Amino acid sequence: MGEVKFKDYSELNMIEILTKFYGVDWLCFLFIFTGVYLLGNQTRAGFIFGMLGCLCGVCIGCMVGSVALILMDACLAGMYLRGFIKNDTT
């Protein structure tokens, strides 16, 4: 039997892995996390951050060619928009 070979995740490869999607995945993470945090504090701006995160998610879905990811993020963005409209706290 042959030996199992693992990928070499040296420092150079880690930088490549972290920037594979031009930082859009990190923006998605930050926007969604911030949006959920703000919604947990009952701040309406959480819906905006959520929609921005979903927009980044759609971009990532286009980069990887995942129709399911694109549809999921588009539906979530619609739900965030609905929440933003219905949550009129003025």
Side-chain angles (χ1 to χ4, degrees), residues 4-75:
V4 176
K5 295 193 179 202
F6 295 100
K7 286 187 174 184
D8 177 27
Y9 291 112
S10 65
E11 190 174 312
L12 180 61
N13 285 338
M14 285 305 287
I15 292 171
E16 184 180 321
I17 290 168
L18 293 174
T19 60
K20 184 175 183 179
F21 299 108
Y22 310 105
V24 178
D25 51 343
W26 290 103
L27 281 175
C28 181
F29 165 74
L30 289 174
F31 283 142
I32 294 287
F33 189 82
T34 303
V36 170
Y37 176 79
L38 290 173
L39 287 174
N41 288 333
Q42 298 181 349
T43 305
R44 192 171 184 217
F47 293 113
I48 302 295
F49 279 94
M51 284 188 278
L52 289 172
C54 288
L55 178 64
C56 293
V58 168
C59 292
I60 294 168
C62 290
M63 286 183 209
V64 299
S66 173
V67 176
L69 186 59
I70 294 168
L71 288 175
M72 179 195 68
D73 280 313
C75 291

